[in-house]
Amino acid sequence: MIFSELYSTYYQTVAAILKAAIDHPVEATEMRHIVEEHAFGESMLHILPAIEEQRWQLITPDGKTPLQKEPSMPLTLLEKRWLKAIAHDPRIRLFGDEIFDFPDVEPLFLPEDILVFDHYADGDDYTDERYIQHFRLILDAIKYQYPLKITLQNRRENPLVMSVLPHSLEYSEKDDKFRLIGSSDRYGSTINLGRIINCEKCQDSIKGKLTKKTERQRRVVFELVDQRKTLERVLLHFAHYEKEAEKLDEKHYRITVVYDKEDETEMVIRILSFGPMIKVTAPQHFVELIKQRLIHQKSCGL
């Protein structure tokens, strides 16, 4: 891995702990707070035990560190090549015109080197200047929490005007589309950015009460047996989902994954790919989806 957990989120988290330890002795409570602030929910299972058990000999039992200077890590040549490669991704421009560049290195790969076969071909056009303008305005509205007046095209290709208070943006890997999640004054509160015709700040206050965003998020809970690095593979596989991990004993873990209801079929397929190492325990409707999928697969094989 070019940016491994140790040298990315894990590194930054441990670096924050070390910076605190250079200033003053750190206690377990403070280290736990730093991990929660900088890392993932399941990182508590790895970082703190490694420090407390002295597998990572960075913090002494009295909460101090032998380091005299704050840790830092310059980019390697391989990391620069990788960053230059992703700078060719058209989605980068959605976030700003200032693209990082390293003129002295070649990109690790180019977009034409990648063949994606498991998502739809009608994704959003990230090179469209109007799309880029809408995306940046929505990002700003999310950051500073002000409403937008959005004109979009419905399924019948008719224009609809609505006022929306944006909450978040989400990306569907399967659809290759961005969606805006927010509270609206009239219609549904989930909008595909590709359908937006015009987007601007609301100059007047919104009349009427905003409807809360649709409850689109769902949760699935499953238990796994950590054999052949199942835990590591699961956490990596669901890295872009919100999740929680709980250790039950030395070999068993309970994982909770939050997903969008439109991605439920994909989530079923993802979980089934781990075979008997994973057992879904909740909710019951997801358990039934697993059973139906297995019955269907069995009937196809007859």
Side-chain angles (χ1 to χ4, degrees), residues 110-115:
L110 296 173
E112 53 265 30
D113 298 327
I114 302 174
L115 175 62

mmCIF file of all heavy atoms in Angstrom, residues 110-115:
data_model
loop_
_atom_site.group_PDB
_atom_site.id
_atom_site.type_symbol
_atom_site.label_atom_id
_atom_site.label_comp_id
_atom_site.label_asym_id
_atom_site.label_seq_id
_atom_site.Cartn_x
_atom_site.Cartn_y
_atom_site.Cartn_z
ATOM 1 N N LEU A 110 -2.118 6.629 -15.460
ATOM 2 C CA LEU A 110 -2.990 7.589 -16.119
ATOM 3 C C LEU A 110 -4.421 7.062 -16.122
ATOM 4 O O LEU A 110 -4.643 5.856 -15.970
ATOM 5 C CB LEU A 110 -2.511 7.833 -17.551
ATOM 6 C CG LEU A 110 -1.116 8.471 -17.682
ATOM 7 C CD1 LEU A 110 -0.696 8.501 -19.142
ATOM 8 C CD2 LEU A 110 -1.102 9.875 -17.082
ATOM 9 N N PRO A 111 -5.422 7.932 -16.286
ATOM 10 C CA PRO A 111 -6.815 7.482 -16.268
ATOM 11 C C PRO A 111 -7.107 6.366 -17.264
ATOM 12 O O PRO A 111 -7.899 5.462 -16.978
ATOM 13 C CB PRO A 111 -7.602 8.755 -16.603
ATOM 14 C CG PRO A 111 -6.734 9.867 -16.134
ATOM 15 C CD PRO A 111 -5.320 9.408 -16.376
ATOM 16 N N GLU A 112 -6.461 6.403 -18.426
ATOM 17 C CA GLU A 112 -6.729 5.375 -19.442
ATOM 18 C C GLU A 112 -6.157 4.015 -19.062
ATOM 19 O O GLU A 112 -6.453 3.008 -19.714
ATOM 20 C CB GLU A 112 -6.184 5.808 -20.800
ATOM 21 C CG GLU A 112 -4.722 6.216 -20.784
ATOM 22 C CD GLU A 112 -4.540 7.715 -20.636
ATOM 23 O OE1 GLU A 112 -5.394 8.362 -19.997
ATOM 24 O OE2 GLU A 112 -3.539 8.232 -21.165
ATOM 25 N N ASP A 113 -5.339 3.977 -18.011
ATOM 26 C CA ASP A 113 -4.791 2.697 -17.545
ATOM 27 C C ASP A 113 -5.775 1.922 -16.674
ATOM 28 O O ASP A 113 -5.537 0.756 -16.353
ATOM 29 C CB ASP A 113 -3.507 2.930 -16.739
ATOM 30 C CG ASP A 113 -2.413 3.565 -17.575
ATOM 31 O OD1 ASP A 113 -2.370 3.269 -18.791
ATOM 32 O OD2 ASP A 113 -1.617 4.354 -17.034
ATOM 33 N N ILE A 114 -6.878 2.566 -16.281
ATOM 34 C CA ILE A 114 -7.825 1.956 -15.345
ATOM 35 C C ILE A 114 -9.089 1.561 -16.100
ATOM 36 O O ILE A 114 -9.705 2.388 -16.785
ATOM 37 C CB ILE A 114 -8.177 2.922 -14.204
ATOM 38 C CG1 ILE A 114 -6.898 3.327 -13.458
ATOM 39 C CG2 ILE A 114 -9.174 2.272 -13.241
ATOM 40 C CD1 ILE A 114 -7.122 4.385 -12.409
ATOM 41 N N LEU A 115 -9.498 0.308 -15.934
ATOM 42 C CA LEU A 115 -10.737 -0.185 -16.519
ATOM 43 C C LEU A 115 -11.705 -0.516 -15.393
ATOM 44 O O LEU A 115 -11.449 -1.408 -14.574
ATOM 45 C CB LEU A 115 -10.480 -1.438 -17.365
ATOM 46 C CG LEU A 115 -11.727 -2.122 -17.944
ATOM 47 C CD1 LEU A 115 -12.462 -1.175 -18.893
ATOM 48 C CD2 LEU A 115 -11.363 -3.417 -18.651
#
